[in-house]
Amino acid sequence: MSHIDTMTEFSDQSPLRRKARASLSNAAGRFDLQRAAVDDGWSNTTDSDEPGVPRIETDIRFEQARSLINYNKSPDLPFDRSINTYRGCEHGCIYCFARPTHAYLGLSPGLDFETRLIARPNAAELLRHELSSPRYKVATLAIGTNTDPYQPCERDLKLTRDCLQVLSEFAHPVAIVTKGALVERDIDILAPMAARGLVRVGISVTTLDPDLSRRMEPRAPSPARRLAAIRRLRDAGIPVRIMCSPLVPGLTDHELEAMLAAGAEAGADAASWIMLRLPREVSTLWQEWLAEHAPLRAEKVMNRLREMHGGRDYDPRWGQRMRGEGPYADVISNRFKAACKRLGLNQRSEPLRSDLFARPPQAGDQLALF
C-alpha cells in the first residue's frame, strides 16, 4: 500500500520483450536520482515466444489515497475538478501527456508508466466522503483527464464503476473521457444519469488505421471498436463527443475529416480536437517511437510541431499548449470547423445539470420532522 522507492530498469529491450508495449525505453524519472537495479517485488517474468526473453507484464499496486478530487484553475479546461482512480495506464499510448506524472512516484515515464500501475481501492469511499461535506459546491466532475478510467485493469477492479455509482446516488454531473470500450459495461448506470442530464462521454479516436493505432496505442481498443462504442452509447441515449486527440502533424492530420465523419456516422453529436503535446519526458519517448515506427516521417512531424511552438518541441503556455499557433495550426482549426459544420457536429452541447445534486441520507443523520 505504499509508493515504490526504486524500480528495476529493463536491460533487455528486444521487440519480443516489448511486445504490446509502446515505449522503447525505461529511463529513470527526473526525481529518481539513485536508480538501482533491484528486485522490488514488481517483476513478473513469464514465458514469451522466445525462451529466455521474458515479456514485460503489467503489475498493479494499491494505494490508500487520502483525497480524490483534484481541483485546477486552468483556463484551457472546461472543468475545474477531476478524479483519477489509477496512476499509470496500461493502454500504453506513446504520446500520453500524463506520462511525466509517474516521475513523481520515483518511476519512469517510459515503460513503468504502462506496466507499473497504482490503483486506489478506496476511491469510491473517498468520493462519497468529499461530496458529503457541507462545504462542497457542485460542478461537473471530469473522469479520465489523466489516465484512462476504462483501461484493462478496470474490468476486474471496477473502481471507476464504484465511483459512478456514488455520483449517481448524489445526482452529480460527470464528464467522462476514454478510449476504452469497457465504458459500455456501465451503460446501466450512465443511461439513467443521461436521461437526467447528468453525463456526457468523450471517446478519443486518434486514427482510423488499425495498424498505426496498434503501434501507437498498443493496448487500447481498435479504432473500429471505439466507433462501435460511440454507437452503443448513443443507442442508450447517452450523449457522446468524438475527440480527435491528439492530432499528429504529418502522421494523422490527413485523417481529420474522415475521423469526424466516422464519428458522426456512429452517432456522436459533438466533436473536439487537440494537437499532439510533448511535455517533459514525452518528447524523448515520442521521438524514440518515431525513429522506430515512422522514420521517414519523423523529421516532418517534429518540424511541424516546432513550427507551432516557437521552435520548441512543446510550449506549455495556457492558450497555446493544446493547439499551438501559426499558419499550420490555423489550417487545422479551419478544417475542423468546416468539417463539423458540414457534419452537424458544431452544435453547442447542453450544459450538464447541477441543480439535481443532493446528498443522500447518511447513517446517523437526524430524521426530518415532516
Side-chain angles (χ1 to χ4, degrees):
M1 297 286 184
S2 61
H3 297 321
I4 302 93
D5 296 321
T6 57
M7 286 300 308
T8 301
E9 183 161 9
F10 302 117
S11 58
D12 181 356
Q13 297 304 335
S14 70
L16 277 174
R17 179 158 166 74
R18 289 186 286 100
K19 188 173 182 180
R21 302 297 181 183
S23 299
L24 277 68
S25 63
N26 203 41
R30 59 191 180 280
F31 300 110
D32 185 7
L33 303 180
Q34 296 180 334
R35 191 180 181 93
V38 298
D39 182 1
D40 60 3
W42 281 69
S43 298
N44 180 9
T45 54
T46 59
D47 292 337
S48 69
D49 296 335
E50 181 177 303
V53 183
R55 291 277 183 83
I56 302 170
E57 301 294 330
T58 302
D59 289 291
I60 302 172
R61 278 196 176 181
F62 297 92
E63 169 192 76
Q64 289 293 328
R66 296 182 180 180
S67 62
L68 191 67
I69 300 178
N70 301 308
Y71 292 89
N72 77 83
K73 296 182 179 180
S74 171
D76 290 334
L77 301 176
F79 55 87
D80 71 349
R81 66 200 66 187
S82 62
I83 63 172
N84 289 284
T85 48
Y86 303 100
R87 298 186 189 214
C89 186
E90 194 178 0
H91 281 159
C93 305
I94 189 59
Y95 51 73
C96 183
F97 67 88
R99 283 180 176 272
T101 62
H102 240 45
Y104 292 107
L105 306 177
L107 304 179
S108 172
L111 283 164
D112 282 350
F113 179 80
E114 51 193 279
T115 62
R116 307 323 202 201
L117 311 183
I118 294 176
R120 296 168 162 175
N122 63 333
E125 175 187 347
L126 278 176
L127 182 59
R128 183 182 302 278
H129 174 74
E130 292 175 20
L131 297 185
S132 297
S133 171
R135 296 186 298 274
Y136 181 77
K137 305 295 183 183
V138 64
T140 297
L141 183 71
I143 300 179
T145 58
N146 203 43
T147 57
D148 202 308
Y150 288 105
Q151 58 182 288
C153 61
E154 167 65 14
R155 187 177 306 278
D156 296 321
L157 298 179
K158 300 180 181 178
L159 304 185
T160 298
R161 181 177 176 84
D162 290 345
C163 287
L164 287 178
Q165 290 276 18
V166 172
L167 293 170
S168 177
E169 292 173 20
F170 281 77
H172 195 293
V174 58
I176 301 170
V177 175
T178 184
K179 55 173 61 76
L182 185 59
V183 66
E184 296 175 355
R185 178 202 62 189
D186 293 340
I187 285 177
D188 62 320
I189 300 175
L190 298 174
M193 292 184 73
R196 304 175 71 190
L198 293 172
V199 69
R200 171 171 284 278
V201 177
I203 301 290
S204 173
V205 179
T206 53
T207 176
L208 297 177
D209 180 344
D211 177 65
L212 177 58
S213 174
R214 184 58 59 224
R215 288 181 285 129
M216 193 164 57
E217 39 200 19
R219 297 202 176 196
S222 69
R225 186 65 186 86
R226 291 179 229 175
L227 292 170
I230 292 177
R231 183 173 292 106
R232 186 164 180 205
L233 291 170
R234 284 296 296 163
D235 288 345
I238 301 165
V240 187
R241 173 186 303 271
I242 179 169
M243 306 174 68
C244 300
S245 306
L247 199 65
V248 183
L251 191 63
T252 67
D253 54 347
H254 65 284
E255 297 186 72
L256 177 59
E257 289 83 358
M259 287 189 286
L260 291 170
E265 192 279 331
D269 63 355
S272 63
W273 72 280
I274 295 176
M275 191 63 72
L276 175 66
R277 300 164 55 189
L278 300 178
R280 295 187 180 273
E281 294 92 343
V282 182
S283 180
T284 299
L285 292 164
W286 171 253
Q287 292 184 67
E288 287 177 348
W289 183 92
L290 277 178
E292 178 164 302
H293 294 283
L296 299 181
R297 298 192 183 189
E299 184 176 359
K300 180 179 181 180
V301 171
M302 294 309 301
N303 284 344
R304 285 291 194 190
L305 287 171
R306 290 165 184 150
E307 177 185 312
M308 290 184 288
H309 295 299
R312 295 184 290 172
D313 293 352
Y314 176 63
D315 183 350
R317 289 180 299 159
W318 285 337
Q320 305 299 331
R321 58 181 184 152
M322 301 289 196
R323 302 284 175 83
E325 59 184 345
Y328 178 77
D330 291 342
V331 167
I332 293 295
S333 178
N334 291 335
R335 285 173 55 193
F336 174 81
K337 291 175 183 176
C340 286
K341 182 177 181 180
R342 183 175 67 254
L343 296 167
L345 294 173
N346 61 338
Q347 305 301 313
R348 183 178 295 275
S349 300
E350 289 293 325
L352 298 179
R353 297 185 64 178
S354 295
D355 59 307
L356 300 179
F357 176 76
R359 298 173 180 83
Q362 305 291 318
D365 285 353
Q366 183 177 348
L367 297 177
L369 296 176
F370 303 99

